[in-house]
Amino acid sequence: MKLPSFVQHTFDHEIPGRARIRYVFGSGLFFAMALQVLTGIVMAFYYVPSAREAYASVYSIQYEVTWGWLVRGLHHFGASAVVVLAGLHLLQVFLSGAYRKPREMSWITGVLMLGLIMGFALTGYLLPWDQKGYFATQVATNIAGGVPVVGEATQTLIQGGTEYGTATLTRFYALHVFALPLGLLVLIVPHLIYFFRHGVTAPGKDLVSGRSIKFWPVQAFYDLVFITVILGVLLTLAVFVGAPLDAPADPSSSYVARPEWYFLFLFQILKYFEGPMMLLGTVIIPGLAATYLVILPWLDRSKENTLKARWKTVAPMAFGLVALAALTLVAMSEDANNKSYQAQLAVQAEEAKVAKKYARNGFTAYGTIEALEGRKLFRTHCTSCHEAEGEGTPECIDGKCPSDFGLCDSQEQCYRAPVLDHLGSRKWFLDQIERPDHPTKFGTILDKAGNAIFKGEMPSYADPDDESNFMQPTVRAGVVEYLIQGTGRRYDPPIDTALAKKGEEDFGECAYCHEPTEGRTGPLLIDVVPGSRPQVMRLAGYGSDAFLRSVLNDPGHERLYGELNVMPSFSHLHYTQQDALIAYLRTLCTDCVDP
Amino acid sequence: MNRRSFLVWANGVLGGIVGLVVAVPLLGPLLDPVLRKQGSGERPRVDVGPVDQFKPGTVTQTMLVTSKMDGPIKMPPRPDLGVFVIRDTAKTITVDAEGRSPNLKVLSRECPHLGCNVDYDKANGFLCPCHNSRFATEFEKAGTKQEIRAGATNPSPRRLDSLDARIEDGRLVIEVVHFRPGRPQAEPRA
Ligand code: FES
């Protein structure tokens, strides 16, 4: 078998002395980068770089696409692996003194590639357009914006405008998948050419031994073992930890962002410099460190290879590394001991969980944000009376409820308005038919004087002893099937039209209270189609979005709860806030399949 | 086995494992469209307006607008399928219990040959601009099947596909279905 010449060249290149474990880092790094390229390409089949769709597409990669979670997991942890391996590779090369003549070009191209790797990390972090990426990246671009004179223009240029948006995302995407890889390719070619020309920098005793061996098979074996270990670690992390995905980016939310762990030292430096001194931490110190690395081959021209002889270059490097490690550790421990930060983290994690639940139900990123916002509004404005998802309504104390609440029920819970779990679902309608006076429905609503408002106006239709009202379970199911058509939503299982037709016939009796007749007492369920002659009746949309909006604005309207109403109007909420509340309330329907 | 050939063997094994472990996960997303059920499988029904807008003896070209999930993304309403609504010459429309009418026929504009949109005008009838397939409707006395399909080019394997249309509260509601082109029988996609 004849191998292509560059492969043959790789296999045959000579290593002075013997194969050594310390030479594995370059190959390991190369492998990790290749893995990023492959997993990246596969994810690009699904990713959509737009502020509207990015989150949904990443969500889909993570939770819907076959093994998408695995590929994304490998890419996520692979990014950390590249940074770690680049660091180790650099350190190994530095320790062996391999940056000096005649290998300057290998060194400089390597240092530049390290810069590109940081660029990859920075740009990639934003792409999911989730909270973490959004807010952490904003810190980075604001740093660029803080540089005197050119800063503002630079920031506008990076962001594609003065604010974050799709233009930012497309730029970061173009950089991440086209420009930076191209840069890497341009640099890695000379990096490797120079490497093969000069070979590894072996320790002195290997050089004087006068022996040399070929890369294949011993060194290749070391490299492969190392690569297998890297892959094993990444796979383990991808399977057992998994790539994180936060709630979608919401610029109006309070989110405490931290950069990825390998940038923590930069983040920590920022804390020590105030005002105009900030530049020192953001630009000058990192800039000096980078310059130091680039000019290292010319700073150190000694022929000696021992660390002692090279102390003038080794000392700053050692100092830099210690500082870097210390800053990272301090940043971590400050966060770990910061109670409010930890509490905020818990809130953020909870939000991410809820967001993913919404996303699973087919929400767009915007819809998810809206529903999350509505959830917050619900908990501010509604839970003093209503309960949903276990939030709201106090428990009984000593068998008593607070004065303006109804009676304690068997679950030792106090209610003063219907519980909104399952709102709009079949269960919701069925409950209303079967036990309208239950405490979780209208049973314990009190008027201002503390008297029950609902005095059995609506009977239970599931009470076999009440012969005049009893409905067979199939009849009840039919009426429910008929009524859910009014919500305008899609259900799983889908609406059974035949059953609904039957339900429409059985609904007849309900008309006394729920159709627009003289002396009607209940909310309108059936209404006249406006302008129809002869009159055509149709569902009034109880449980629909329009219904929810009317309830928010004017619950005492004669079409709704009329004189019996005790719910205040929420017309003071902005239209968009009402939208958000409705978006949230929609999520409570347990058998709806549309978000 | 000496040391060298053991190492060569071990390298082969390790290289194989690494290659496989990298390649296999990548196949998941790459093959996902055939591995995973596509779409919700449900057929949207579109209300195209009052049925009396379609006059006796006319062919009306219109489009069905839907808002579907496009992969993970819910799209705003956009045109989904072009259709012809064809009404016979009877003055009144009769409707059966299920809302279907013998006086109305709705045809998909998607050509059963390779999916171009078929055009209609009085002179040419239903004609596909791509490879000149011609079609008739049951309402037109255009001739026998042989006559319709006669001519040098008429590559369509079947007639235009008809869609389920019902009249509800005086409005025409059409079910959106896309059919596979190129088959002798009408088969819905997915
Ligand atoms: S696509 Fe219509 S004739 Fe070919």
Side-chain angles (χ1 to χ4, degrees):
Chain A
M1 186 171 65
K2 188 144 165 44
L3 294 166
S5 71
F6 73 91
V7 178
Q8 193 65 53
H9 199 80
T10 310
F11 277 31
D12 285 348
H13 82 262
E14 299 278 338
I15 298 168
R18 59 191 186 85
R20 285 178 180 277
I21 291 173
R22 67 171 73 162
Y23 303 144
V24 299
F25 297 110
S27 309
L29 178 55
F30 187 83
F31 167 76
M33 295 205 298
L35 187 65
Q36 291 305 90
V37 172
L38 292 174
T39 49
I41 289 174
V42 167
M43 287 201 293
F45 277 51
Y46 292 91
Y47 179 72
V48 184
S50 128
R52 219 180 94 103
E53 280 100 11
Y55 182 82
S57 66
V58 174
Y59 175 86
S60 141
I61 293 173
Q62 184 71 28
Y63 294 102
E64 291 169 352
V65 172
T66 313
W67 297 345
W69 60 273
L70 184 56
V71 173
R72 182 163 176 263
L74 288 173
H75 197 81
H76 173 82
F77 294 108
S80 286
V82 168
V83 173
V84 170
L85 290 165
L88 290 174
H89 183 48
L90 181 134
L91 200 62
Q92 194 275 325
V93 168
F94 176 81
L95 289 178
S96 61
Y99 50 87
R100 287 170 303 176
K101 222 175 159 187
R103 296 182 175 85
E104 310 97 310
M105 279 319 285
S106 275
W107 173 261
I108 289 172
T109 49
V111 170
L112 292 178
M113 278 194 282
L114 184 67
L116 292 188
I117 286 170
M118 295 176 90
F120 271 109
L122 184 76
T123 49
Y125 213 51
L126 180 71
L127 297 185
W129 205 250
D130 64 350
Q131 293 278 58
K132 190 188 283 178
Y134 183 89
F135 283 101
T137 311
Q138 206 137 57
V139 173
T141 45
N142 283 336
I143 286 175
V147 177
V149 193
V150 291
E152 213 175 293
T154 313
Q155 185 177 9
T156 311
L157 218 54
I158 298 174
Q159 291 177 188
T162 49
E163 284 170 20
Y164 266 43
T166 296
T168 322
L169 211 43
T170 46
R171 267 161 198 258
F172 274 54
Y173 182 66
L175 288 171
H176 193 79
V177 307
F178 299 117
L180 290 170
L182 199 64
L184 216 50
L185 197 68
V186 167
L187 289 171
I188 205 164
V189 169
H191 189 74
L192 291 180
I193 288 176
Y194 281 99
F195 168 72
F196 284 123
R197 183 174 301 166
H198 302 294
V200 297
T201 305
K205 58 177 183 293
D206 280 5
L207 289 176
V208 295
S209 75
R211 286 192 307 136
S212 78
I213 64 159
K214 290 199 157 115
F215 171 77
W216 185 264
V218 189
Q219 186 62 46
F221 178 72
Y222 288 177
D223 287 10
L224 273 167
V225 169
F226 185 54
I227 286 168
T228 311
V229 170
I230 294 170
L231 186 58
V233 171
L234 292 180
L235 209 58
T236 312
L237 287 169
V239 171
F240 294 104
V241 183
L245 181 62
D246 239 318
D250 175 2
S252 70
S253 68
S254 42
Y255 188 93
V256 185
R258 292 287 182 268
E260 196 63 330
W261 62 268
Y262 39 76
F263 283 138
L264 273 180
F265 69 101
L266 284 174
F267 157 81
Q268 187 66 18
I269 289 187
L270 295 184
K271 294 186 189 164
Y272 301 122
F273 298 101
E274 274 172 37
M277 297 300 281
M278 195 173 103
L279 216 54
L280 211 57
T282 56
V283 180
I284 297 176
I285 293 177
L288 282 177
T291 314
Y292 172 76
L293 285 179
V294 172
I295 61 171
L296 196 59
W298 291 275
L299 284 183
D300 177 10
R301 318 213 69 155
S302 65
K303 296 267 168 349
E304 279 294 317
N305 218 5
T306 57
L307 292 181
K308 211 163 164 195
R310 291 191 284 136
W311 71 272
K312 273 191 213 144
T313 49
V314 172
M317 186 63 134
F319 172 78
L321 280 178
V322 170
L324 194 149
L327 284 166
T328 307
L329 287 176
V330 172
M332 285 178 168
S333 82
E334 275 184 16
D335 276 350
N337 295 320
N338 181 340
K339 286 239 165 53
S340 71
Y341 174 66
Q342 292 300 325
Q344 174 69 17
L345 273 190
V347 172
Q348 290 168 185
E350 154 84 358
E351 256 175 29
K353 232 174 79 195
V354 178
K356 280 182 269 193
K357 192 182 94 190
Y358 295 160
R360 186 146 43 246
N361 295 338
F363 270 94
T364 57
Y366 178 70
T368 305
I369 293 168
E370 209 180 21
L372 279 174
E373 189 60 35
R375 188 166 167 271
K376 281 183 221 153
L377 286 168
F378 185 83
R379 290 173 180 202
T380 340
H381 295 286
C382 313
T383 47
S384 50
C385 299
H386 289 287
E387 177 177 317
E389 299 183 308
E391 283 291 313
T393 62
E395 283 176 12
C396 312
I397 301 162
D398 300 332
K400 280 216 187 86
C401 287
S403 63
D404 54 348
F405 275 83
L407 304 168
C408 287
D409 77 332
S410 54
Q411 251 117 58
E412 322 218 305
Q413 198 84 33
C414 305
Y415 300 98
R416 61 173 170 187
V419 173
L420 297 184
D421 286 319
H422 304 285
L423 181 69
S425 67
R426 289 184 172 93
K427 180 175 160 45
W428 165 262
F429 281 98
L430 193 63
D431 264 2
Q432 188 59 44
I433 293 173
E434 294 185 344
R435 37 179 203 173
D437 54 353
H438 190 269
T440 62
K441 287 299 208 180
F442 292 93
T444 55
I445 305 179
L446 305 182
D447 65 12
K448 294 215 171 62
N451 302 314
I453 282 187
F454 191 81
K455 301 189 196 75
E457 276 85 354
M458 178 169 171
S460 164
Y461 291 90
D463 180 4
D465 297 333
D466 180 358
E467 267 173 41
S468 63
N469 287 318
F470 180 69
M471 284 179 173
Q472 291 295 337
T474 50
V475 174
R476 281 178 251 149
V479 171
V480 166
E481 209 68 11
Y482 170 55
L483 290 177
I484 58 170
Q485 296 178 345
T487 64
R489 305 194 57 181
R490 287 191 284 124
Y491 289 84
D492 180 31
I495 294 173
D496 179 340
T497 38
L499 185 60
K501 264 251 145 44
K502 269 199 68 242
E504 184 171 2
E505 286 154 25
D506 292 326
F507 184 75
E509 204 190 321
C510 316
Y512 294 116
C513 304
H514 292 295
E515 277 186 18
T517 50
E518 198 68 31
R520 170 179 57 84
T521 46
L524 265 191
L525 295 184
I526 309 291
D527 202 359
V528 182
V529 176
S532 60
R533 246 172 298 127
Q535 281 194 349
V536 178
M537 306 293 276
R538 69 157 179 235
L539 287 162
Y542 195 84
S544 66
D545 292 0
F547 160 82
L548 293 173
R549 195 179 296 281
S550 329
V551 172
L552 283 173
N553 283 308
D554 189 6
H557 192 278
E558 61 98 13
R559 293 170 57 91
L560 296 167
Y561 305 108
E563 287 169 0
L564 288 178
N565 177 59
V566 284
M567 173 174 161
S569 161
F570 287 88
S571 57
H572 59 276
L573 290 183
H574 189 267
Y575 201 80
T576 54
Q577 290 180 303
Q578 295 189 352
D579 277 347
L581 261 174
I582 292 168
Y584 169 66
L585 292 172
R586 284 173 68 94
T587 67
L588 299 174
C589 175
T590 28
D591 53 356
C592 294
V593 286
D594 50 344
Chain B
M1 202 190 293
N2 66 13
R3 185 175 131 93
R4 187 188 152 88
S5 52
F6 167 77
L7 282 174
V8 170
W9 174 85
N11 283 351
V13 170
L14 283 180
I17 290 174
V18 168
L20 219 62
V21 171
V22 170
V24 169
L26 299 180
L27 288 178
L30 289 178
L31 301 179
D32 176 76
V34 290
L35 293 178
R36 200 157 52 94
K37 190 175 151 278
Q38 294 296 300
S40 59
E42 79 180 272
R43 298 172 178 176
R45 290 158 48 76
V46 177
D47 180 340
V48 293
V51 69
D52 43 18
Q53 68 183 299
F54 306 105
K55 300 289 174 234
T58 57
V59 174
T60 314
Q61 186 181 311
T62 181
M63 66 186 176
L64 306 182
V65 177
T66 60
S67 59
K68 288 202 278 205
M69 288 298 285
D70 179 1
I73 294 145
K74 180 145 175 113
M75 297 300 269
R78 54 178 181 168
D80 190 330
L81 179 65
V83 295
F84 296 114
V85 179
I86 305 157
R87 180 167 168 189
D88 68 2
T89 48
K91 283 261 146 34
T92 52
I93 294 176
T94 53
V95 182
D96 71 6
E98 295 192 306
R100 296 204 175 85
S101 168
N103 308 104
L104 279 174
K105 197 163 177 63
V106 177
L107 298 179
S108 165
R109 279 187 66 198
E110 282 180 347
C111 180
H113 180 226
L114 288 169
C116 292
N117 271 337
V118 171
D119 290 326
Y120 174 82
D121 62 51
K122 275 245 159 55
N124 295 309
F126 295 92
L127 174 65
C128 181
C130 288
H131 319 97
N132 298 335
S133 281
R134 282 171 190 282
F135 306 89
T137 74
E138 284 151 24
F139 295 152
E140 282 185 327
K141 297 198 187 73
T144 61
K145 201 170 174 199
Q146 282 69 24
E147 281 174 296
I148 297 160
R149 301 220 29 191
T153 68
N154 197 351
S156 174
R158 59 173 199 265
R159 324 171 57 99
L160 284 176
D161 300 307
S162 63
L163 300 169
D164 186 48
R166 303 190 192 202
I167 297 161
E168 295 172 7
D169 289 344
R171 303 173 72 84
L172 186 64
V173 180
I174 303 171
E175 185 180 70
V176 181
V177 188
H178 295 268
F179 294 92
R180 283 183 205 284
R183 314 272 168 108
Q185 245 69 49
E187 290 170 36
R189 283 179 209 261

